[in-house]
Amino acid sequence: MLTQVDRGPRAESLLQRQSQFNRCGASTAAARQHFSALILSDREENELSVPEIDTRKIDNSFLRDHNYATEADIISTVEFNSTGELLATGDKGGRVVVFQREQESKNQPHRRGEYNVYSTFQSHEPEFDYLKSLEIEEKINKIRWLPQQNAAYFLLSTNDKTVKLWKISERDKRPEGYNLTDEEGRIRDPTTITTLRVPVLRPMDLMVEATPRRIFSNAHTYHINSISVNSDYETYMSTDDLRINLWNLEITNQSFNIVDIKPANLEELTEVITAAEFHPNQCNTFVYSSSKGSIRLCDMRTSALCDNHSKLFEEPEDPSNRSFFSEIISSISDVKFSHSGRYLMTRDYLTVKVWDINMESKPLETYQVHDYLRSKLCSLYENDCIFDKFECVWNGTDSVLMTGSYNNFFRMFDRNTKRDVTLEASRENSKPRAILKPRKVCVGGKRRKDEISVDSLDFSKKILHTAWHPNENIIAVAATNNLYIFQDKVN
């Protein structure tokens, strides 16, 4: 039931050796081996129906100065809670920062959309696996909120190996007047206690506390890439490169393995799991994507081990478009159910696709994110950018899609009007209440004044992580170590 340890102290070394191949060799095998090894060893102006956007950069003064930002400051995940009142970010330093939405003021109604720091805590610390002689990074890979049941908030955070359940609560009163201890907490001399006192609660400055309630560990041999809370709110699943485990939120010492694609011989490995998510209303249904570009829908009512999928969503490849990079760019980096549960959205390197769960043969819609990079795949392969894992999100009504790109650009696609827009998250346009202007990339020919050449794109500036408020047109965009909030223009 618990995931067993792989053979040998360094199972991933085999996969690392697989990546040392001749780039002039067979394209299929080369791309597959390199991609598997990379993952397992631990990359006219259009207008949206979303109106003009007012931008307001979050106060991130609690972080180090931008010019001296370290690797630990890079944001690695962003997530709104179910009401949108809280927004959590995780970074490569293992920290979780929670922002709270400012309450509406009669004097300043436009400040309703602002988010300010609510709580900051260290979720994970760097560790060392002595059995495999491997360092375990503190980087937060994913954060998922649990629905609020009382005054406290709960969230799950995970690094490569360990998932933690955190409780975030407020305290504005403290007890005073204990019988056995004095006001400073020291034990009183029993001979001096002559009367019985009833402790009372005294007001104090508001304090937000984050405490770990559960730690789920020792169940993943490979790196965890996603976690998803079930609609029954009693279970969740954690996914690594080869296995998916089902946990009960109350039980930390055992998990059930529901998907295992690890072959008996690792040399026969052809694909890895890249992402997984539960259906928003059917607690028995979940979906997971693979590095081969396929999406599998599974039903836990069918069998305890869901290695045999119920549905397979896969688009046949056009042989005329096949190249050395075909398998790498077809790998799915993110998969998301729509809020209605009727559709699936997937993101590969160049496109976002929408699938109807009742139609497996081909995607319902395909949107080009940055097709102008198709001619740059060779250089993107050389600098490892081709392995970047971009996420994608739905808006609250499932009518608009959003995903990131390079040069701090992010893209939005309106499913109803079929219009799209490219916007930029940068310090230059992050003044309060500034209006974001659509950006365009010039592929060739004469470049207009407001366009940017594809050769001028900065591939070190990339937006991999985004989040959309569940009910309103408010989005959060993580650009390296900066977090930006964008919202509809407020009159």
Side-chain angles (χ1 to χ4, degrees):
M1 222 146 295
L2 285 177
T3 308
Q4 63 272 25
V5 176
D6 272 270
R7 55 182 182 177
R10 300 193 64 171
E12 281 118 333
S13 63
L14 172 62
L15 293 144
Q16 290 174 336
R17 290 198 296 272
Q18 285 182 349
S19 67
Q20 300 168 357
F21 61 89
N22 182 352
R23 291 183 183 174
C24 299
S27 62
T28 301
R32 179 174 64 246
Q33 289 178 3
H34 182 73
F35 189 69
S36 299
L38 192 83
I39 293 182
L40 289 172
S41 63
D42 5 53
R43 260 175 114 88
E44 328 300 26
E45 293 186 347
N46 290 327
E47 294 181 0
L48 261 183
S49 61
V50 176
E52 290 180 290
I53 293 180
D54 168 29
T55 172
R56 189 173 294 113
K57 188 171 179 294
I58 278 184
D59 173 19
N60 63 348
S61 56
F62 60 93
L63 290 177
R64 299 181 181 90
D65 183 80
H66 172 75
N67 297 321
Y68 300 97
T70 64
E71 180 83 4
D73 296 322
I74 296 175
I75 297 172
S76 54
T77 184
V78 184
E79 186 78 7
F80 280 102
N81 74 338
S82 58
T83 63
E85 293 301 305
L86 297 182
L87 171 66
T89 67
D91 62 26
K92 289 191 174 182
R95 293 164 295 193
V96 172
V97 181
V98 180
F99 300 89
Q100 185 179 46
R101 193 176 187 186
E102 200 163 285
Q103 295 302 312
E104 189 170 2
S105 168
K106 292 181 180 179
N107 299 328
Q108 295 176 307
H110 66 274
R111 292 178 63 86
R112 168 63 175 150
E114 290 191 359
Y115 285 77
N116 295 310
V117 177
Y118 180 62
S119 176
T120 305
F121 58 92
Q122 188 73 31
S123 174
H124 288 72
E125 300 280 358
E127 299 176 49
F128 192 80
D129 187 333
Y130 294 96
L131 183 63
K132 295 186 176 182
S133 298
L134 290 175
E135 287 187 61
I136 301 172
E137 291 183 344
E138 65 269 37
K139 172 191 169 188
I140 306 298
N141 293 337
K142 281 289 185 292
I143 290 174
R144 290 291 180 265
W145 290 92
L146 273 65
Q148 188 177 4
Q149 306 291 342
N150 49 41
Y153 302 96
F154 290 86
L155 64 81
L156 289 168
S157 64
T158 183
N159 66 350
D160 286 340
K161 301 291 184 181
T162 304
V163 183
K164 294 184 180 182
L165 174 65
W166 289 88
K167 177 185 178 181
I168 303 171
S169 56
E170 296 181 355
R171 188 151 60 93
D172 60 358
K173 292 182 176 63
R174 66 165 178 263
E176 290 183 359
Y178 286 111
N179 289 287
L180 301 180
T181 58
D182 61 20
E183 301 305 326
E184 296 180 1
R186 292 178 300 219
I187 302 295
R188 295 174 61 189
D189 182 356
T191 59
T192 64
I193 303 174
T194 58
T195 59
L196 180 65
R197 294 190 296 177
V198 178
V200 294
L201 293 174
R202 303 287 187 195
M204 60 175 281
D205 292 338
L206 180 66
M207 179 186 296
V208 180
E209 298 176 317
T211 52
R213 299 305 300 270
R214 305 277 188 278
I215 297 178
F216 307 88
S217 58
N218 302 323
H220 285 279
T221 304
Y222 302 101
H223 292 175
I224 299 172
N225 54 48
S226 58
I227 51 177
S228 179
V229 180
N230 201 346
S231 59
D232 61 12
Y233 306 139
E234 293 183 359
T235 57
Y236 78 93
M237 66 179 175
S238 56
T239 307
D240 66 25
D241 299 320
L242 296 179
R243 298 185 179 101
I244 300 177
N245 291 335
L246 181 69
W247 299 82
N248 187 296
L249 286 163
E250 300 294 327
I251 301 172
T252 61
N253 60 0
Q254 69 174 356
S255 64
F256 296 90
N257 182 229
I258 54 176
V259 172
D260 188 347
I261 65 168
K262 180 175 178 275
N265 184 356
L266 275 178
E267 293 179 355
E268 298 172 2
L269 184 70
T270 60
E271 65 179 334
V272 293
I273 301 170
T274 56
E277 186 175 63
F278 269 118
H279 191 282
N281 359 77
Q282 299 173 10
C283 62
N284 54 281
T285 305
F286 68 94
V287 66
Y288 69 93
S289 58
S290 82
S291 58
K292 271 190 167 181
S294 59
I295 310 107
R296 293 173 173 86
L297 186 75
C298 301
D299 189 338
M300 291 190 290
R301 296 173 300 184
T302 306
S303 62
L305 188 63
C306 300
D307 286 348
N308 296 320
H309 51 267
S310 301
K311 291 187 177 183
L312 174 66
F313 303 88
E314 197 169 32
E315 187 174 24
E317 184 183 9
D318 185 353
S320 62
N321 292 333
R322 183 160 186 80
S323 71
F324 174 84
F325 306 106
S326 293
E327 289 196 20
I328 301 177
I329 64 174
S330 66
S331 172
I332 294 172
S333 56
D334 196 17
V335 59
K336 292 276 175 47
F337 272 106
S338 63
H339 295 86
S340 66
R342 173 66 186 271
Y343 302 103
L344 286 168
M345 172 171 51
T346 60
R347 171 70 204 264
D348 57 39
Y349 190 66
L350 295 177
T351 66
V352 170
K353 295 174 183 174
V354 176
W355 301 77
D356 188 327
I357 62 171
N358 296 327
M359 185 173 72
E360 304 170 54
S361 57
K362 62 179 181 179
L364 201 62
E365 304 154 19
T366 301
Y367 301 94
Q368 299 295 331
V369 178
H370 38 216
D371 199 51
Y372 46 79
L373 295 181
R374 198 174 288 274
S375 61
K376 303 283 183 183
L377 292 179
C378 190
S379 57
L380 291 166
Y381 177 78
E382 294 291 338
N383 62 18
D384 279 349
C385 284
I386 200 170
F387 301 106
D388 285 333
K389 299 175 178 63
F390 293 94
E391 296 176 3
C392 53
V393 291
W394 300 86
N395 73 335
T397 60
D398 300 334
S399 60
V400 182
L401 322 175
M402 178 174 63
T403 190
S405 183
Y406 294 104
N407 208 68
N408 279 356
F409 288 168
F410 60 97
R411 302 268 284 143
M412 289 184 174
F413 304 94
D414 191 310
R415 298 180 62 206
N416 298 326
T417 64
K418 303 303 179 186
R419 292 179 177 177
D420 63 88
V421 67
T422 301
L423 301 170
E424 182 181 7
S426 66
R427 287 178 163 256
E428 288 70 31
N429 58 18
S430 64
K431 296 177 182 178
R433 303 183 62 76
I435 303 300
L436 282 188
K437 295 180 180 179
R439 301 299 305 269
K440 281 194 173 183
V441 177
C442 174
V443 179
K446 191 174 181 180
R447 182 171 66 88
R448 295 180 182 177
K449 183 179 179 181
D450 59 339
E451 292 181 338
I452 181 170
S453 169
V454 67
D455 297 316
S456 303
L457 296 175
D458 188 344
F459 294 107
S460 66
K461 295 179 179 178
K462 60 192 81 171
I463 292 179
L464 303 177
H465 314 288
T466 58
W468 201 307
H469 190 287
N471 306 313
E472 302 178 35
N473 282 333
I474 299 176
I475 59 174
V477 174
T480 318
N481 65 312
N482 295 311
L483 179 67
Y484 297 86
I485 292 288
F486 301 96
Q487 69 174 26
D488 274 352
K489 181 180 178 182
V490 179
N491 295 321

